[in-house]
Amino acid sequence: MNSRSVLLGVVVLVASDGLLTAGQNDVRFSRDIQPILAANCLQCHGADEHKREGGLRLDTFDGATAIHEGKAAVVPGNVDASELMRRIRSTDPDVQMPPRDSGKSLTVAQVELLRSWIQQGGEYQQHWAFLPPERPPVPKSETGTSWVKNPVDAFVYDRLQTESLQPSTAASP
């Protein structure tokens, strides 16, 4: 086992725990936050107004940023003013979210994702399936231009360069 495989193992372990991995500098609502809210919060703070507790709705931006009793659950860009963070960090059973009797709890990694998300603006994005596809720019390369024959080759070559690898020679027909 070389140092590269050990490093990759650490990145995979960290990624499976919900922490940001190398190259992942932003927290995405659909990918990172919505699953946490769905598993731990939306049963009581979701779309069903008959089951909603405290009038707080966390499945929409307007609901999460609405003022309730002088406070907002999410104050975009301000972790300290966000009631959500105060509640999930609290050890007081009368304040703590999710409540102990719910049988739900947040991991340290999930709390950190929520903190990072709020700090980055607490943006709610639509699920990727509802967004129009965007064509990424084709990578340009000064070297390897003879190897690159089409846009797919350009993406493959770019990734090979990122991994410090060279393309194989062409196979015979």
Side-chain angles (χ1 to χ4, degrees):
M1 182 181 282
N2 61 30
S3 61
R4 183 173 172 82
S5 60
V6 171
L7 177 61
L8 288 174
V10 170
V11 170
V12 170
L13 176 62
V14 170
S16 69
D17 193 26
L19 295 175
L20 295 176
T21 58
Q24 199 177 354
N25 59 0
D26 67 330
V27 180
R28 305 284 302 174
F29 178 77
S30 297
R31 179 190 66 210
D32 304 311
I33 302 305
Q34 198 277 335
I36 296 170
L37 296 178
N40 297 286
C41 309
L42 298 184
Q43 297 83 352
C44 298
H45 301 294
D48 188 345
E49 65 183 83
H50 300 295
K51 292 183 180 179
R52 197 174 303 141
E53 299 284 334
L56 174 60
R57 186 170 180 180
L58 291 175
D59 63 328
T60 66
F61 179 82
D62 290 340
T65 57
I67 304 297
H68 296 280
E69 299 176 13
K71 301 172 187 164
V74 175
V75 179
N78 191 340
V79 174
D80 295 331
S82 297
E83 185 69 5
L84 175 70
M85 290 307 299
R86 187 179 80 80
R87 297 271 184 138
I88 64 175
R89 289 176 171 166
S90 178
T91 56
D92 180 349
D94 295 332
V95 176
Q96 183 181 30
M97 289 292 152
R100 288 185 186 158
D101 63 359
S102 72
K104 299 183 183 305
S105 64
L106 298 174
T107 66
V108 172
Q110 289 172 324
V111 172
E112 177 58 22
L113 278 169
L114 288 163
R115 186 202 62 75
S116 295
W117 171 66
I118 291 171
Q119 185 176 346
Q120 293 173 16
E123 183 180 344
Y124 279 67
Q125 299 104 1
Q126 279 189 303
H127 188 276
W128 66 267
F130 298 110
L131 298 173
E134 293 180 15
R135 187 173 300 276
V138 176
K140 301 273 189 244
S141 174
E142 297 299 320
T143 60
T145 52
S146 63
W147 189 82
V148 174
K149 306 287 187 229
N150 58 52
V152 173
D153 288 349
F155 284 101
V156 170
Y157 189 78
D158 185 61
R159 180 58 188 261
L160 288 171
Q161 293 299 297
T162 301
E163 301 293 330
S164 300
L165 299 172
Q166 293 297 318
S168 298
T169 57
S172 64

